[in-house]
Amino acid sequence: MPRWKALPDELDPQVREFASQLRRLVDRSGLSVAAVAERTGYSRTSWERYLAGRLLAPKAAVLALAEVTGTSPVHLTTMWELAERAWSRSEQRHERMTEAARADRARTAPGASGPARPAGPPADEGAAERRPPRAPGPPSGRHRRRIVMFLAGVIGALLVITSAVLLTDLGRSDDQPRAAPSPSRSTSASAPALPAGVKCVAASCTGQDPELMGCTDKLVQTVGSAKVGASVVEVRYSRICRAAWARLKQVAPGDRVEISAPAAAGYRVVADAYRDTYTRMLAVQGPAGARACATLKSGRSGCAAGRAAAGPSGAAAGGRPGGSGTTTTGQ
């Protein structure tokens, strides 16, 4: 008996291809739908709808599935964007067809004479009577009074603001120079401009969550890794934030991972679920000074040392070959 039911015939080709790709990822991972739900944080019912083509998976769920299955999120995100646009077009077509069907039922209703006029819903859409819309007419007396009071309030507020501006200008001598605005910290030349979404750099990143600070979205690299039993411990480094942190993959509850650097207090985290976990950040002069260590609940332990991060052209900083890490996104 096949694992998946056939996708609905009415699905847009882009949506059908995207749902089929999600199914292939789940099949290759060997995980059940329940295991996918547990590791991604989305319910089993939601994943059954996503994989059956009855509902389009949100982008966050797609990225979580890519992380769980070890898939590059770039191609998957492109497929999701195409499917999302196709899904929106299908919803708009469905709404137009529904409105047209209602209009046809109103025009062909039994007993209708002359041109069609607005009417209540058919008997199969509800028994409650719906009055036809009234033609627009002049506003009632109470409505007119409300409009007049509102306009009077707006005009009064404008007069007060205008008076305040005029009095301020009159109180200042024409030959008195206006004080130049003092430069703020945000415009100081010494403060580096950070990319959109990045909230810390260097020392201000120490002790912070890399995902919350936006350090996982800009040129993140795995600059060192080591196998510890069935798990993998990694040194993660952000060139934008100039900080490093440790990540442990394929974990079990009770496994520990920590990040350390010379002359800096390290950070440790203990896994509480069967999903990848990561530590807080440490500001480092370069990835070569960072060290990630893992101690499994089984007693096995191991460490990974950071290496020089590869530059934009693929060469390591300083002209040396880069580490084993590749540019990725995520923690």
Side-chain angles (χ1 to χ4, degrees):
M1 181 177 179
R3 182 180 184 183
W4 308 109
K5 294 183 179 179
L7 292 169
D9 295 334
E10 64 272 14
L11 278 184
D12 184 276
Q14 296 284 2
V15 179
R16 175 182 296 274
E17 176 59 24
F18 180 66
S20 300
Q21 178 65 15
L22 295 183
R23 290 181 173 187
R24 287 192 289 269
L25 291 179
V26 174
D27 286 338
R28 286 201 296 264
S29 69
L31 299 173
S32 64
V33 177
V36 170
E38 180 182 357
R39 299 189 181 192
T40 60
Y42 288 79
S43 68
R44 176 176 179 174
T45 302
S46 296
W47 274 112
E48 289 174 347
R49 293 175 179 173
Y50 304 154
L51 297 169
R54 297 196 302 271
L55 190 64
L56 184 67
K59 187 175 182 180
V62 174
L63 294 177
L65 180 63
E67 180 74 14
V68 167
T69 58
T71 305
S72 172
V74 178
H75 178 62
L76 199 59
T77 300
T78 302
M79 293 186 66
W80 177 86
E81 292 174 350
L82 296 174
E84 195 275 337
R85 287 195 286 268
W87 189 276
S88 298
R89 291 195 299 268
S90 298
E91 288 183 338
Q92 293 173 2
R93 286 196 300 269
H94 178 72
E95 291 176 358
R96 289 196 295 268
M97 292 173 62
T98 301
E99 291 298 329
R102 289 178 179 175
D104 289 340
R105 286 199 298 267
R107 285 194 296 268
T108 60
S113 60
R117 58 185 179 86
D124 60 348
E125 291 188 8
E129 180 182 0
R130 182 180 299 168
R131 298 180 181 178
R134 294 181 299 177
S140 62
R142 178 180 299 177
H143 188 56
R144 285 195 297 271
R145 287 195 297 273
R146 289 181 178 176
I147 294 176
V148 172
M149 293 176 65
F150 172 76
L151 292 176
V154 172
I155 294 173
L158 291 176
L159 290 175
V160 171
I161 295 173
T162 304
S163 300
V165 172
L166 291 175
L167 290 174
T168 301
D169 289 341
L170 290 174
R172 181 187 296 114
S173 173
D174 291 339
D175 58 355
Q176 181 180 359
R178 296 172 179 260
S182 59
S184 62
R185 291 186 178 179
S186 60
T187 59
S188 174
S190 61
L194 296 179
V198 178
K199 303 176 183 178
C200 71
V201 64
S204 61
C205 290
T206 295
Q208 301 291 341
D209 186 300
E211 184 172 357
L212 296 180
M213 292 295 105
C215 296
T216 61
D217 298 332
K218 306 290 181 181
L219 198 60
V220 180
Q221 294 179 296
T222 298
V223 294
S225 64
K227 189 82 171 176
V228 183
S231 303
V232 178
V233 61
E234 298 176 341
V235 178
R236 301 281 281 166
Y237 176 70
S238 169
R239 294 180 63 239
I240 296 296
C241 297
R242 301 210 305 270
W245 60 96
R247 180 171 69 175
L248 185 62
K249 302 171 66 174
Q250 306 295 330
V251 303
D255 293 348
R256 300 192 303 274
V257 62
E258 62 181 320
I259 185 71
S260 62
Y267 288 94
R268 174 185 297 180
V269 65
V270 179
D272 59 358
Y274 291 92
R275 63 179 64 187
D276 298 352
T277 189
Y278 60 96
T279 67
R280 295 183 178 271
M281 293 186 286
L282 279 180
V284 293
Q285 294 296 326
R291 184 178 178 85
C293 294
T295 302
L296 307 185
K297 188 177 181 181
S298 62
R300 303 192 65 171
S301 62
C303 296
R307 300 183 181 89
S313 62
R320 298 189 304 273
S324 59
T326 56
T327 303
T328 59
T329 58
Q331 293 85 12

